[in-house]
Structures are given as C-alpha cells and as structure tokens.
Amino acid sequence: MTRKLDCPPGRNNLLFTLPEADRALVEPHLKTVKLDKGMALERAGQPIERAYFPRSGVGSTVVQGGNGRQIEVGLFGCDGMSGIASILQSRYAINDTFIQIEGDGLAIDADRLADLLGQSASLRRHLSRYVLAMMAQMAQTALSNAHSKLEERLAGWLLMCHDRSGNDNLALTHEFVALMLGVRRAGVTVGTHVLEGEGLIEAKRGRITILDRAGLEKRARDTYGAAEAEYARLIGFRGARQRAALAKTDP
C-alpha cells in the first residue's frame, strides 16, 4: 500500500536527505541502536542525552498533565528524530518521548550533535526545517483533537503509524491507542468497530491491520495529509536514481 512518507528502505530519511558534506560530518558519530517498545528516549525536564534517528519503528512524544492525564502531541519514525529541543539550543526535554512500535535506528550524543550544528549552517538549517515539520504536525493534531470525530482521529492516527511502519500489521492495543488519543478505551473500541465495519481495518488482540489505505485516508478527512505535505515540502525525499547511487553507503 502506498504511504505518504516515502522513506528509503532501511534508512532514516532525515539523514538520507542531508547534503553530502553534512552526511560525512555526522556519519562517524552515529551508533546503531535497537529501539525496544516502551524505551524512553526523553523525559520531561531531564537533560537530553542522545538524539535518535529511527530507521524502523515509531516513536511518540507525550504531554503529561495532572491526575495522570496524558496525550500524544507528536509522532515520528523513519522520517525524523527525537531530541528536537537540542536543535533549538536547549539541553532539556519539554515532554516525554518513547518508542511505541519497536524497530532500530541510529543515535548520536546530544553534546556531539550540538557541536556539529555549530560547525555547519546547512546541517542546522536542515534539522531546523524538520522542527517546522513537527510544528505543522502538532498544529494539525491540536485541530483534530478539538474538532474531529473520534473515528476520523483514529483513522488519521493509524495512517501516521502506517506511514512509518514496515508492514500493514500494527502492534497496537486498544488501551495504548486510547492513551495516545486521550480518550477512553471504550471509545477506541467503538471507533475500531466502525472502521472494521467499513472494511478499512481488521482489529485483533494487540494488533490492527490496515486493509484499505485509500478508504482510510478518505475516512480521516482533515486529520491527515496537511502535515505530511508540509514534511514533503520542507524535507523531501531522494529520487530512485539518487537512492541507487547511495545504496552502498551508511546510514
């Protein structure tokens, strides 16, 4: 099924689209890491130790409120990175960030990344454009949370996960989806039944399978698409010829 985010297979698109000189600057400092489900990448108010660039899997940034309330405000995978506060010259995380779908990626020490950003204006510009893309995603999420029906929000959120996953089967529980959307579990159960009834998804214990991507996009309405288009404008994707030329390089 066609995804909006055209990540090169097994690579992180944010790194892959760097200018060649910046790739050479960053590459020696990247370490391959396993991204296990539930792994904490950042804790609110704590120093950012490393920035992570997933090659597979999905990460979530979550706002914590009073009385245990929380809701997801950002989602990333092969399209992006964690640690965006460090791009804006802050050492401390604003929110919690963790892995929601396991995968692997590349990591760099936050202090080293800060040094590299000071050395290269083009690297700083590229990663700053990603911050803008995330701001667009957060704005669309806020609008959706305020004005869209639960079924539309659920459809849009599943599409975002699907964009960043390696297959059509998403390892997600109703409890977890409810947490991310900031709604009760019963609401997610009703929403998944509606989408199942329309033949768009299949929901089993701990897993949701995308059956009709095009239909799910139509169902999502305004909850999906605008932020993805902004990412494509700001960051873009390398074409097939460029990918072939870099096929034997890392990351």
Side-chain angles (χ1 to χ4, degrees):
M1 297 183 185
T2 302
R3 292 163 167 78
K4 292 284 189 186
L5 297 178
D6 188 23
C7 292
R11 295 177 183 269
N12 178 278
N13 188 68
L14 189 59
L15 293 175
F16 198 66
T17 50
L18 279 171
E20 186 175 346
D22 288 326
R23 283 171 52 85
L25 182 66
V26 173
E27 202 172 284
H29 307 287
L30 295 169
K31 297 179 180 179
T32 302
V33 292
K34 183 74 171 68
L35 302 174
D36 295 319
K37 184 175 181 178
M39 176 181 174
L41 307 184
E42 301 174 21
R43 292 293 189 188
Q46 298 297 313
I48 298 172
E49 297 181 356
R50 307 172 93 185
Y52 293 84
F53 298 83
R55 295 186 296 199
S56 62
V58 179
S60 291
T61 297
V62 176
V63 172
Q64 303 283 354
N67 299 320
R69 293 178 300 176
Q70 51 188 330
I71 190 170
E72 182 185 76
V73 293
L75 186 150
F76 64 97
C78 61
D79 58 315
M81 64 179 289
S82 70
I84 61 174
S86 60
I87 300 170
L88 303 177
Q89 300 182 324
S90 173
R91 294 189 59 229
Y92 295 89
I94 299 174
N95 300 304
D96 291 343
T97 298
F98 65 94
I99 296 298
Q100 62 163 278
I101 298 178
E102 67 177 18
D104 63 49
L106 299 156
I108 183 172
D109 289 343
D111 289 342
R112 176 58 62 189
L113 178 59
D115 290 341
L116 299 180
L117 289 169
Q119 295 176 36
S120 172
S122 56
L123 174 63
R124 187 166 61 253
R125 180 168 56 250
H126 185 76
L127 296 188
S128 294
R129 289 170 73 86
Y130 175 68
V131 175
L132 286 175
M134 286 302 295
M135 290 174 64
Q137 184 193 120
M138 292 176 181
Q140 185 174 20
T141 298
L143 179 65
S144 300
N145 289 345
H147 297 293
S148 298
K149 296 179 180 178
L150 176 57
E151 292 83 2
E152 295 168 356
R153 292 174 56 200
L154 177 59
W157 188 80
L158 290 174
L159 287 165
M160 292 173 70
C161 289
H162 189 237
D163 279 344
R164 295 160 176 85
S165 66
N167 57 63
D168 299 332
N169 298 304
L170 307 176
L172 299 167
T173 64
H174 286 195
E175 290 87 353
F176 184 80
V177 176
L179 179 68
M180 294 298 96
L181 295 180
V183 299
R184 298 179 62 184
R185 183 190 183 283
V188 173
T189 299
V190 172
T192 54
H193 285 168
V194 170
L195 298 183
E196 276 192 297
E198 296 173 359
L200 305 178
I201 65 171
E202 180 183 38
K204 294 184 177 180
R205 186 175 181 85
R207 187 168 301 275
I208 296 177
T209 301
I210 307 300
L211 300 178
D212 182 356
R213 166 87 193 198
L216 203 59
E217 289 187 20
K218 184 176 180 180
R219 194 66 167 86
R221 298 172 64 94
D222 294 337
T223 67
Y224 177 80
E228 288 69 27
E230 191 66 4
Y231 177 93
R233 184 185 75 83
L234 290 166
I235 306 298
F237 305 93
R238 288 184 181 271
R241 184 175 300 179
Q242 293 168 303
R243 292 183 183 184
L246 293 172
K248 296 182 178 181
T249 65
D250 288 317

